[in-house]
PDB file of all heavy atoms in Angstrom:
ATOM      1  N   LEU A   1      14.259  28.692  92.231  1.00  0.00           N
ATOM      2  CA  LEU A   1      15.455  28.135  92.973  1.00  0.00           C
ATOM      3  C   LEU A   1      14.825  27.469  94.332  1.00  0.00           C
ATOM      4  O   LEU A   1      15.337  26.378  94.721  1.00  0.00           O
ATOM      5  CB  LEU A   1      16.274  29.276  93.389  1.00  0.00           C
ATOM      6  CG  LEU A   1      17.482  28.856  94.312  1.00  0.00           C
ATOM      7  CD1 LEU A   1      18.367  27.825  93.708  1.00  0.00           C
ATOM      8  CD2 LEU A   1      18.330  30.096  94.670  1.00  0.00           C
ATOM      9  N   ILE A   2      13.879  28.086  94.914  1.00  0.00           N
ATOM     10  CA  ILE A   2      13.246  27.539  96.148  1.00  0.00           C
ATOM     11  C   ILE A   2      12.640  26.206  95.828  1.00  0.00           C
ATOM     12  O   ILE A   2      12.753  25.283  96.597  1.00  0.00           O
ATOM     13  CB  ILE A   2      12.280  28.535  96.771  1.00  0.00           C
ATOM     14  CG1 ILE A   2      12.970  29.732  97.359  1.00  0.00           C
ATOM     15  CG2 ILE A   2      11.392  27.859  97.792  1.00  0.00           C
ATOM     16  CD1 ILE A   2      12.042  30.833  97.872  1.00  0.00           C
ATOM     17  N   GLY A   3      11.968  26.116  94.713  1.00  0.00           N
ATOM     18  CA  GLY A   3      11.363  24.760  94.328  1.00  0.00           C
ATOM     19  C   GLY A   3      12.443  23.763  94.138  1.00  0.00           C
ATOM     20  O   GLY A   3      12.219  22.590  94.603  1.00  0.00           O
ATOM     21  N   ARG A   4      13.560  24.120  93.532  1.00  0.00           N
ATOM     22  CA  ARG A   4      14.629  23.097  93.345  1.00  0.00           C
ATOM     23  C   ARG A   4      15.279  22.726  94.612  1.00  0.00           C
ATOM     24  O   ARG A   4      15.642  21.475  94.883  1.00  0.00           O
ATOM     25  CB  ARG A   4      15.631  23.609  92.369  1.00  0.00           C
ATOM     26  CG  ARG A   4      15.087  23.876  90.998  1.00  0.00           C
ATOM     27  CD  ARG A   4      16.034  24.414  89.969  1.00  0.00           C
ATOM     28  NE  ARG A   4      17.029  23.504  89.701  1.00  0.00           N
ATOM     29  CZ  ARG A   4      18.130  23.651  88.788  1.00  0.00           C
ATOM     30  NH1 ARG A   4      18.184  24.856  88.267  1.00  0.00           N
ATOM     31  NH2 ARG A   4      18.941  22.796  88.588  1.00  0.00           N
ATOM     32  N   LEU A   5      15.377  23.688  95.576  1.00  0.00           N
ATOM     33  CA  LEU A   5      15.968  23.385  96.893  1.00  0.00           C
ATOM     34  C   LEU A   5      15.049  22.512  97.656  1.00  0.00           C
ATOM     35  O   LEU A   5      15.425  21.632  98.438  1.00  0.00           O
ATOM     36  CB  LEU A   5      16.233  24.680  97.620  1.00  0.00           C
ATOM     37  CG  LEU A   5      17.481  25.464  97.166  1.00  0.00           C
ATOM     38  CD1 LEU A   5      17.513  26.833  97.936  1.00  0.00           C
ATOM     39  CD2 LEU A   5      18.726  24.736  97.353  1.00  0.00           C
ATOM     40  N   ARG A   6      13.730  22.706  97.536  1.00  0.00           N
ATOM     41  CA  ARG A   6      12.694  21.849  98.179  1.00  0.00           C
ATOM     42  C   ARG A   6      12.817  20.416  97.714  1.00  0.00           C
ATOM     43  O   ARG A   6      12.735  19.443  98.461  1.00  0.00           O
ATOM     44  CB  ARG A   6      11.303  22.375  97.965  1.00  0.00           C
ATOM     45  CG  ARG A   6      10.870  23.335  98.946  1.00  0.00           C
ATOM     46  CD  ARG A   6       9.395  23.753  98.843  1.00  0.00           C
ATOM     47  NE  ARG A   6       9.183  25.057  99.327  1.00  0.00           N
ATOM     48  CZ  ARG A   6       9.135  25.308 100.591  1.00  0.00           C
ATOM     49  NH1 ARG A   6       9.292  24.355 101.516  1.00  0.00           N
ATOM     50  NH2 ARG A   6       8.929  26.589 101.029  1.00  0.00           N
ATOM     51  N   ASP A   7      12.987  20.226  96.413  1.00  0.00           N
ATOM     52  CA  ASP A   7      13.169  18.913  95.933  1.00  0.00           C
ATOM     53  C   ASP A   7      14.449  18.286  96.457  1.00  0.00           C
ATOM     54  O   ASP A   7      14.434  17.044  96.876  1.00  0.00           O
ATOM     55  CB  ASP A   7      13.250  18.914  94.441  1.00  0.00           C
ATOM     56  CG  ASP A   7      11.931  19.326  93.772  1.00  0.00           C
ATOM     57  OD1 ASP A   7      10.870  19.263  94.463  1.00  0.00           O
ATOM     58  OD2 ASP A   7      11.985  19.862  92.646  1.00  0.00           O
ATOM     59  N   LEU A   8      15.496  19.089  96.624  1.00  0.00           N
ATOM     60  CA  LEU A   8      16.732  18.619  97.176  1.00  0.00           C
ATOM     61  C   LEU A   8      16.612  18.227  98.628  1.00  0.00           C
ATOM     62  O   LEU A   8      17.307  17.338  99.197  1.00  0.00           O
ATOM     63  CB  LEU A   8      17.824  19.573  96.889  1.00  0.00           C
ATOM     64  CG  LEU A   8      19.245  19.168  97.308  1.00  0.00           C
ATOM     65  CD1 LEU A   8      19.724  18.014  96.374  1.00  0.00           C
ATOM     66  CD2 LEU A   8      20.220  20.366  97.098  1.00  0.00           C
ATOM     67  N   ALA A   9      15.700  19.032  99.345  1.00  0.00           N
ATOM     68  CA  ALA A   9      15.648  18.867 100.809  1.00  0.00           C
ATOM     69  C   ALA A   9      14.480  17.988 101.230  1.00  0.00           C
ATOM     70  O   ALA A   9      14.065  18.030 102.327  1.00  0.00           O
ATOM     71  CB  ALA A   9      15.352  20.310 101.398  1.00  0.00           C
ATOM     72  N   ALA A  10      14.003  17.187 100.257  1.00  0.00           N
ATOM     73  CA  ALA A  10      12.861  16.306 100.532  1.00  0.00           C
ATOM     74  C   ALA A  10      13.157  15.400 101.709  1.00  0.00           C
ATOM     75  O   ALA A  10      14.244  14.674 101.688  1.00  0.00           O
ATOM     76  CB  ALA A  10      12.415  15.474  99.298  1.00  0.00           C
ATOM     77  N   GLY A  11      12.282  15.324 102.702  1.00  0.00           N
ATOM     78  CA  GLY A  11      12.495  14.489 103.835  1.00  0.00           C
ATOM     79  C   GLY A  11      13.284  15.085 104.937  1.00  0.00           C
ATOM     80  O   GLY A  11      13.580  14.428 105.991  1.00  0.00           O
ATOM     81  N   CYS A  12      13.722  16.372 104.807  1.00  0.00           N
ATOM     82  CA  CYS A  12      14.571  16.919 105.903  1.00  0.00           C
ATOM     83  C   CYS A  12      13.661  17.242 107.109  1.00  0.00           C
ATOM     84  O   CYS A  12      12.455  17.350 107.012  1.00  0.00           O
ATOM     85  CB  CYS A  12      15.269  18.221 105.411  1.00  0.00           C
ATOM     86  SG  CYS A  12      14.286  19.660 105.291  1.00  0.00           S
ATOM     87  N   SER A  13      14.335  17.514 108.231  1.00  0.00           N
ATOM     88  CA  SER A  13      13.539  17.782 109.446  1.00  0.00           C
ATOM     89  C   SER A  13      14.029  19.117 110.099  1.00  0.00           C
ATOM     90  O   SER A  13      14.768  19.137 111.045  1.00  0.00           O
ATOM     91  CB  SER A  13      13.787  16.650 110.513  1.00  0.00           C
ATOM     92  OG  SER A  13      15.254  16.513 110.738  1.00  0.00           O
ATOM     93  N   GLY A  14      13.561  20.130 109.399  1.00  0.00           N
ATOM     94  CA  GLY A  14      14.000  21.499 109.922  1.00  0.00           C
ATOM     95  C   GLY A  14      13.416  21.750 111.310  1.00  0.00           C
ATOM     96  O   GLY A  14      12.404  21.161 111.702  1.00  0.00           O
ATOM     97  N   ALA A  15      14.111  22.705 112.040  1.00  0.00           N
ATOM     98  CA  ALA A  15      13.752  22.960 113.418  1.00  0.00           C
ATOM     99  C   ALA A  15      12.341  23.518 113.510  1.00  0.00           C
ATOM    100  O   ALA A  15      11.581  23.276 114.459  1.00  0.00           O
ATOM    101  CB  ALA A  15      14.775  23.931 114.032  1.00  0.00           C
ATOM    102  N   SER A  16      11.949  24.333 112.521  1.00  0.00           N
ATOM    103  CA  SER A  16      10.563  24.960 112.525  1.00  0.00           C
ATOM    104  C   SER A  16       9.555  24.133 111.757  1.00  0.00           C
ATOM    105  O   SER A  16       8.395  24.543 111.538  1.00  0.00           O
ATOM    106  CB  SER A  16      10.623  26.305 111.962  1.00  0.00           C
ATOM    107  OG  SER A  16      11.071  26.261 110.591  1.00  0.00           O
ATOM    108  N   GLY A  17       9.891  22.921 111.276  1.00  0.00           N
ATOM    109  CA  GLY A  17       8.977  22.117 110.505  1.00  0.00           C
ATOM    110  C   GLY A  17       9.064  22.501 109.006  1.00  0.00           C
ATOM    111  O   GLY A  17       8.302  21.967 108.235  1.00  0.00           O
ATOM    112  N   ASP A  18       9.844  23.540 108.685  1.00  0.00           N
ATOM    113  CA  ASP A  18       9.981  24.030 107.297  1.00  0.00           C
ATOM    114  C   ASP A  18      11.421  23.912 106.942  1.00  0.00           C
ATOM    115  O   ASP A  18      12.275  24.470 107.617  1.00  0.00           O
ATOM    116  CB  ASP A  18       9.432  25.425 107.194  1.00  0.00           C
ATOM    117  CG  ASP A  18       9.462  25.946 105.758  1.00  0.00           C
ATOM    118  OD1 ASP A  18       9.868  25.141 104.850  1.00  0.00           O
ATOM    119  OD2 ASP A  18       9.102  27.158 105.537  1.00  0.00           O
ATOM    120  N   CYS A  19      11.720  23.206 105.831  1.00  0.00           N
ATOM    121  CA  CYS A  19      13.080  22.983 105.477  1.00  0.00           C
ATOM    122  C   CYS A  19      13.682  24.348 104.903  1.00  0.00           C
ATOM    123  O   CYS A  19      14.907  24.422 104.757  1.00  0.00           O
ATOM    124  CB  CYS A  19      13.208  21.869 104.415  1.00  0.00           C
ATOM    125  SG  CYS A  19      12.683  20.272 105.104  1.00  0.00           S
ATOM    126  N   LEU A  20      12.861  25.253 104.412  1.00  0.00           N
ATOM    127  CA  LEU A  20      13.288  26.505 103.854  1.00  0.00           C
ATOM    128  C   LEU A  20      12.613  27.649 104.611  1.00  0.00           C
ATOM    129  O   LEU A  20      11.837  28.376 104.014  1.00  0.00           O
ATOM    130  CB  LEU A  20      13.041  26.531 102.405  1.00  0.00           C
ATOM    131  CG  LEU A  20      13.867  25.602 101.520  1.00  0.00           C
ATOM    132  CD1 LEU A  20      13.190  25.468 100.134  1.00  0.00           C
ATOM    133  CD2 LEU A  20      15.271  26.012 101.425  1.00  0.00           C
ATOM    134  N   PRO A  21      12.931  27.878 105.851  1.00  0.00           N
ATOM    135  CA  PRO A  21      12.237  28.940 106.590  1.00  0.00           C
ATOM    136  C   PRO A  21      12.675  30.306 106.187  1.00  0.00           C
ATOM    137  O   PRO A  21      13.961  30.553 105.923  1.00  0.00           O
ATOM    138  CB  PRO A  21      12.677  28.635 108.095  1.00  0.00           C
ATOM    139  CG  PRO A  21      13.959  27.929 107.944  1.00  0.00           C
ATOM    140  CD  PRO A  21      13.927  27.068 106.732  1.00  0.00           C
ATOM    141  N   THR A  22      11.860  31.199 106.110  1.00  0.00           N
ATOM    142  CA  THR A  22      12.211  32.687 105.829  1.00  0.00           C
ATOM    143  C   THR A  22      12.102  33.562 107.045  1.00  0.00           C
ATOM    144  O   THR A  22      12.507  34.625 107.046  1.00  0.00           O
ATOM    145  CB  THR A  22      11.284  33.250 104.736  1.00  0.00           C
ATOM    146  OG1 THR A  22       9.889  33.131 105.213  1.00  0.00           O
ATOM    147  CG2 THR A  22      11.423  32.514 103.404  1.00  0.00           C
ATOM    148  N   ASN A  23      11.565  32.977 108.076  1.00  0.00           N
ATOM    149  CA  ASN A  23      11.370  33.692 109.336  1.00  0.00           C
ATOM    150  C   ASN A  23      11.856  32.835 110.457  1.00  0.00           C
ATOM    151  O   ASN A  23      11.311  31.887 110.816  1.00  0.00           O
ATOM    152  CB  ASN A  23       9.874  34.099 109.546  1.00  0.00           C
ATOM    153  CG  ASN A  23       9.693  34.960 110.853  1.00  0.00           C
ATOM    154  OD1 ASN A  23      10.620  35.242 111.508  1.00  0.00           O
ATOM    155  ND2 ASN A  23       8.464  35.276 111.041  1.00  0.00           N
ATOM    156  N   GLN A  24      12.971  33.308 111.022  1.00  0.00           N
ATOM    157  CA  GLN A  24      13.612  32.534 112.131  1.00  0.00           C
ATOM    158  C   GLN A  24      13.578  33.463 113.436  1.00  0.00           C
ATOM    159  O   GLN A  24      14.638  33.565 114.091  1.00  0.00           O
ATOM    160  CB  GLN A  24      15.015  32.107 111.774  1.00  0.00           C
ATOM    161  CG  GLN A  24      14.997  31.064 110.610  1.00  0.00           C
ATOM    162  CD  GLN A  24      16.331  30.789 110.114  1.00  0.00           C
ATOM    163  OE1 GLN A  24      16.924  31.532 109.380  1.00  0.00           O
ATOM    164  NE2 GLN A  24      16.985  29.635 110.523  1.00  0.00           N
ATOM    165  N   ARG A  25      12.454  34.003 113.741  1.00  0.00           N
ATOM    166  CA  ARG A  25      12.317  34.840 114.921  1.00  0.00           C
ATOM    167  C   ARG A  25      12.426  33.992 116.190  1.00  0.00           C
ATOM    168  O   ARG A  25      11.714  33.002 116.267  1.00  0.00           O
ATOM    169  CB  ARG A  25      10.974  35.591 114.894  1.00  0.00           C
ATOM    170  CG  ARG A  25      10.847  36.646 113.819  1.00  0.00           C
ATOM    171  CD  ARG A  25       9.770  37.645 114.030  1.00  0.00           C
ATOM    172  NE  ARG A  25       8.474  36.979 114.170  1.00  0.00           N
ATOM    173  CZ  ARG A  25       7.283  37.601 114.041  1.00  0.00           C
ATOM    174  NH1 ARG A  25       7.352  38.969 113.788  1.00  0.00           N
ATOM    175  NH2 ARG A  25       6.155  37.025 114.183  1.00  0.00           N
ATOM    176  N   PRO A  26      13.155  34.552 117.155  1.00  0.00           N
ATOM    177  CA  PRO A  26      13.192  33.809 118.441  1.00  0.00           C
ATOM    178  C   PRO A  26      11.859  33.869 119.108  1.00  0.00           C
ATOM    179  O   PRO A  26      11.007  34.728 118.793  1.00  0.00           O
ATOM    180  CB  PRO A  26      14.300  34.591 119.217  1.00  0.00           C
ATOM    181  CG  PRO A  26      15.060  35.277 118.201  1.00  0.00           C
ATOM    182  CD  PRO A  26      14.180  35.587 117.025  1.00  0.00           C
ATOM    183  N   GLY A  27      11.619  33.063 120.083  1.00  0.00           N
ATOM    184  CA  GLY A  27      10.339  33.039 120.799  1.00  0.00           C
ATOM    185  C   GLY A  27      10.030  34.322 121.534  1.00  0.00           C
ATOM    186  O   GLY A  27       8.838  34.671 121.513  1.00  0.00           O
ATOM    187  N   LEU A  28      11.082  35.011 122.021  1.00  0.00           N
ATOM    188  CA  LEU A  28      10.785  36.213 122.661  1.00  0.00           C
ATOM    189  C   LEU A  28      10.227  37.272 121.708  1.00  0.00           C
ATOM    190  O   LEU A  28       9.287  38.062 122.008  1.00  0.00           O
ATOM    191  CB  LEU A  28      12.061  36.787 123.280  1.00  0.00           C
ATOM    192  CG  LEU A  28      12.527  36.272 124.584  1.00  0.00           C
ATOM    193  CD1 LEU A  28      13.963  36.778 124.970  1.00  0.00           C
ATOM    194  CD2 LEU A  28      11.510  36.603 125.759  1.00  0.00           C
TER     195      LEU A  28
END
């Protein structure tokens, strides 16, 4: 599923540089 979502998200500009982040820890 992640592979198919990556294909769907090709060219996206996620905030962390990863279109499918698994870790969204705040800077603190």
Side-chain angles (χ1 to χ4, degrees):
L1 175 60
I2 288 177
R4 297 179 69 181
L5 286 173
R6 271 188 206 284
D7 294 338
L8 186 64
C12 77
S13 55
S16 61
D18 184 1
C19 297
L20 292 165
T22 57
N23 183 1
Q24 293 172 282
R25 291 196 303 197
L28 280 174

